[in-house]
Amino acid sequence: MDLTWSEFERTDMRIGTIVDVNDFPEARKPAYQLTIDFGCEIGIRKSSAQITKRYQKQDLLNRQIVAVVNFPKKQIGKFMSECLVLGAVGEEGDVILLAPDFKIENGLRIG
């Protein structure tokens, strides 16, 4: 089913920088709890991400990512996910994060 252009425009994808990473032992599948800075307009958001196959916690700190920031919050166990981090999903379920090639301003919109 194709989206209309106006439907696509409603998806608010932004650049953010991961400022904190924690293990998420309560998750059903291995995951991290991420704290992401999206700049002054949006601020700090949290997300759960199943990215443990390819990424170590220390490799994620200060890394810029792309995330959808206008989905409803989602309760995952005791954790509230406030955005959706985007990545390409490989055949074995491993996720490769989407990210800009160069360091850019947090909060910039993806278009």
Side-chain angles (χ1 to χ4, degrees):
M1 176 182 262
D2 293 337
L3 292 175
T4 65
W5 183 254
S6 62
E7 288 172 323
F8 171 73
E9 285 182 317
R10 289 182 47 218
T11 305
D12 192 2
M13 294 177 282
R14 302 287 181 125
I15 296 295
T17 298
I18 299 171
V19 295
D20 193 27
V21 182
N22 292 296
D23 291 323
F24 192 3
E26 299 86 10
R28 284 186 225 140
K29 295 182 181 179
Y32 293 129
Q33 293 175 346
L34 307 176
T35 303
I36 306 163
D37 181 357
F38 289 100
C40 295
E41 181 184 340
I42 296 168
I44 303 292
R45 300 268 178 104
K46 294 186 178 195
S47 185
S48 168
Q50 297 172 359
I51 54 175
T52 59
K53 286 185 180 181
R54 288 201 181 248
Y55 300 97
Q56 299 297 312
K57 288 189 294 188
Q58 65 270 16
D59 299 327
L60 293 167
L61 276 177
N62 300 311
R63 181 186 181 98
Q64 288 194 302
I65 52 84
V66 177
V68 176
V69 296
N70 66 333
F71 280 149
K73 294 178 182 178
K74 183 176 181 181
Q75 188 77 43
I76 304 171
K78 295 179 182 178
F79 184 78
M80 182 65 74
S81 185
E82 302 169 316
C83 62
L84 175 66
V85 175
L86 298 178
V89 181
E91 290 182 21
E92 296 181 24
D94 57 328
V95 176
I96 299 91
L97 293 171
L98 298 185
D101 287 337
F102 305 100
K103 182 145 178 76
I104 57 177
E105 183 181 339
N106 287 333
L108 286 180
R109 188 176 174 126
I110 304 300

